[in-house]
Amino acid sequence: MLNHKRLLITRPQPQAQRLAQLLTAAGAIAIEFPTIDIVYAEAAQLAELDLGQYDQLIFVSQAAVAALVQAHIALPLTANYFAVGLQTAKALQAQGVATVQTPLTEFSSEGLLALPALHAVAKQRIAIIGGENPRPLLCQQLSQRQAQAIEIAVYRRQLPMTYTNAVIQQLWLPAPEAIITTSKVGLSN
């Protein structure tokens, strides 16, 4: 289907590898070139989290789930769970969360905010769990809806190891026909 098209994948690992496998199976030449490394917060820092105090837990990425899993943080059974995308929802379900609400079509903060369950949230305590320096929209909008919303950073993004000029030149000879990125940070790196 993709007829040996060269596609450069900038997603962090392990997402880059999974996407490369899918694209290769579809006939592409998938080139993994992560432009972001994910670094989880220290387990001791995460151990201080009391997620049981929140009515709603919103996970904005698979990395947010993975950070808590790696630190052996139990997910409370009493909260309502939301995920920005289907893979994040699957990661939560793999940790025993039975029901996770996700947007139906627009997998973004805007899509989450459109969910009816996040409309009438006055006085509810909501934790938005993700990386450092998130988009402010979700927290701002939930706060405007009178929720007690807080952002909890459980990982940070950083530039990956440096690539040698030889590696970079090899990526571009011949040039990829498309570059796949899913974030502004990945593209700017």
Side-chain angles (χ1 to χ4, degrees):
M1 177 177 13
L2 290 173
N3 297 333
H4 295 64
K5 292 192 184 298
R6 289 176 53 87
L7 305 176
L8 186 69
I9 302 168
T10 65
R11 298 212 61 194
Q13 293 297 359
Q15 292 93 347
Q17 184 178 25
R18 287 195 299 262
L19 182 56
Q21 290 168 344
L22 292 171
L23 291 170
T24 299
I29 299 170
I31 306 157
E32 296 175 42
F33 190 71
T35 56
I36 299 173
D37 275 345
I38 302 296
V39 179
Y40 301 138
E42 296 294 324
Q45 176 189 350
L46 295 178
E48 296 175 9
L49 293 176
D50 177 13
L51 297 180
Q53 68 179 307
Y54 298 101
D55 302 302
Q56 321 272 12
L57 296 174
I58 300 174
F59 286 80
V60 298
S61 68
Q62 297 172 62
V65 178
L68 296 181
V69 169
Q70 183 179 30
H72 305 288
I73 304 300
L75 298 175
L77 300 175
T78 56
N80 295 316
Y81 285 83
F82 297 85
V84 74
L86 299 176
Q87 294 304 316
T88 303
K90 286 180 184 177
L92 286 165
Q93 290 165 339
Q95 297 309 309
V97 176
T99 304
V100 181
Q101 296 184 56
T102 61
L104 298 176
T105 55
E106 187 177 350
F107 302 110
S108 63
S109 295
E110 292 82 357
L112 282 168
L113 290 165
L115 291 173
L118 291 176
H119 285 190
V121 293
K123 298 184 181 178
Q124 292 184 19
R125 293 181 55 94
I126 301 176
I128 303 163
I129 303 168
E132 289 180 350
N133 303 314
R135 284 181 64 202
L137 178 70
L138 194 53
C139 193
Q140 289 172 348
Q141 290 294 310
L142 291 171
S143 294
Q144 286 178 1
R145 295 175 185 179
Q146 305 304 309
Q148 297 173 19
I150 185 171
E151 295 168 333
I152 299 174
V154 297
Y155 67 88
R156 64 184 166 81
R157 300 166 200 87
Q158 69 181 25
L159 284 169
M161 64 173 202
T162 55
Y163 294 99
T164 65
N165 285 338
V167 169
I168 293 171
Q169 286 177 349
Q170 183 180 7
L171 294 173
W172 295 97
L173 297 173
E177 297 174 65
I179 298 173
I180 299 171
T181 188
T182 54
S183 74
K184 290 182 200 175
V185 173
L187 190 57
S188 66
N189 286 350

